[in-house]
Amino acid sequence: MITFFILTFILLLLFRNKETLVLSKERCDFLKAFFPFLIIAGHCSFFCQNTFFDDIRWSGPYIVAIFFFISGYGLQYKYRHNQMDIKYLKNRTKAILLPIILPIIIYVLLSCNGWGSFKHLCKNAIFHGNLILPYSWFVIVILLLYVSYYFIRRHLKNEINFCIAYCAFLLVITVIFQRIGWDSSSFVSNIAFLLGIVYYDNESKILRYINNLGGGG
């Protein structure tokens, strides 16, 4: 219930303007900054059981899905405004990887006492789809989605052809992730990424329908 009220409050803040429900850069930046704190709080449930952290923990997949949705939405925005190039891809890669380097180093230093334990740590990371740091699978997945989007877009400009090819790609990596035993969140969130792309291109139609449904005119 706590999670429900928090997320509902955020959505009300975003949608309080009847003129638009557009995910502006400011709103997306706010969500991207706020959601990691919810995810961290959810992980605290492993150490503080039977507390309100448990309630937040189960919202993790939902929060990650929203994050992926926003990422797909933003990437489509960049493409439609001719800002999707190799330079942007490099900058996004740096922005995603750089913040996690220090936590990985600290985690390795605290968890390893030799080469053997480090190799064991790396094997577990591969098995669970992480960048050594636990629960860092989303970094791998989001980078994969960004890179695949860029290269598929370079060859397929037609929207229908792109969507078909990208859906096929997501289906393939879903099967691969499932076969190697990665957590379902690592491929379920991909659907949210694709929905963000589709939503951006159909946003005006969806908003007109919502406004008409709600009597907004």
Side-chain angles (χ1 to χ4, degrees):
M1 291 300 293
I2 294 175
T3 303
F4 171 78
F5 283 119
I6 291 176
L7 294 178
T8 301
F9 177 71
I10 293 173
L11 292 175
L12 287 174
L13 286 178
L14 294 179
F15 300 160
R16 67 185 184 278
N17 188 346
K18 285 187 176 182
E19 295 179 359
T20 178
L21 303 183
V22 174
L23 288 172
S24 65
K25 185 178 185 302
E26 291 75 15
R27 291 168 177 171
C28 289
D29 289 343
F30 168 75
L31 290 176
K32 287 181 178 179
F34 181 74
F35 282 157
F37 288 100
L38 285 182
I39 294 175
I40 292 172
H43 288 157
C44 289
S45 63
F46 294 110
F47 308 98
C48 305
Q49 297 181 356
N50 300 320
T51 64
F52 74 96
F53 288 118
D54 288 331
D55 188 61
I56 299 178
R57 173 189 171 190
W58 298 113
S59 68
Y62 176 59
I63 295 172
V64 172
I66 295 178
F67 181 85
F68 273 62
F69 179 91
I70 292 173
S71 296
Y73 180 95
L75 210 57
Q76 189 72 352
Y77 171 88
K78 291 292 183 180
Y79 172 74
R80 291 302 182 197
H81 289 77
N82 298 317
Q83 299 174 16
M84 172 55 65
D85 53 21
I86 191 65
K87 181 179 180 181
Y88 173 77
L89 184 63
K90 290 180 179 179
N91 290 336
R92 288 304 303 158
T93 301
K94 290 179 182 178
I96 293 171
L97 286 179
L98 288 178
I100 202 171
I101 292 178
L102 182 59
I104 289 177
I105 294 174
I106 294 175
Y107 182 76
V108 169
L109 292 176
L110 294 176
S111 303
C112 299
N113 53 14
W115 178 246
S117 60
F118 178 72
K119 288 195 297 183
H120 179 72
L121 201 65
C122 291
K123 288 181 181 179
N124 283 338
I126 294 174
F127 180 77
H128 292 95
N130 294 318
L131 284 175
I132 298 181
L133 192 70
Y135 308 108
S136 60
W137 60 265
F138 69 92
V139 177
I140 297 176
V141 174
I142 198 68
L143 282 176
L144 178 62
L145 293 175
Y146 270 64
V147 172
S148 61
Y149 179 97
Y150 172 77
F151 284 104
I152 293 176
R153 270 294 185 198
R154 287 189 62 184
H155 296 91
L156 297 174
K157 302 297 183 181
N158 180 273
E159 197 63 28
I160 295 178
N161 293 338
F162 168 79
C163 286
I164 293 174
Y166 206 63
C167 284
F169 170 78
L170 293 181
L171 180 60
V172 170
I173 65 172
T174 295
V175 172
I176 293 174
F177 288 172
Q178 191 173 31
R179 288 292 181 88
I180 62 180
W182 285 15
D183 187 272
S184 61
S185 298
S186 62
F187 49 84
V188 171
S189 298
N190 301 346
I191 300 174
F193 185 85
L194 181 61
L195 287 176
I197 295 173
V198 175
Y199 172 78
Y200 178 84
D201 281 338
N202 297 276
E203 185 173 45
S204 59
K205 297 178 182 177
I206 294 173
L207 295 184
R208 281 198 301 269
Y209 175 79
I210 292 176
N211 287 330
N212 291 334
L213 190 65

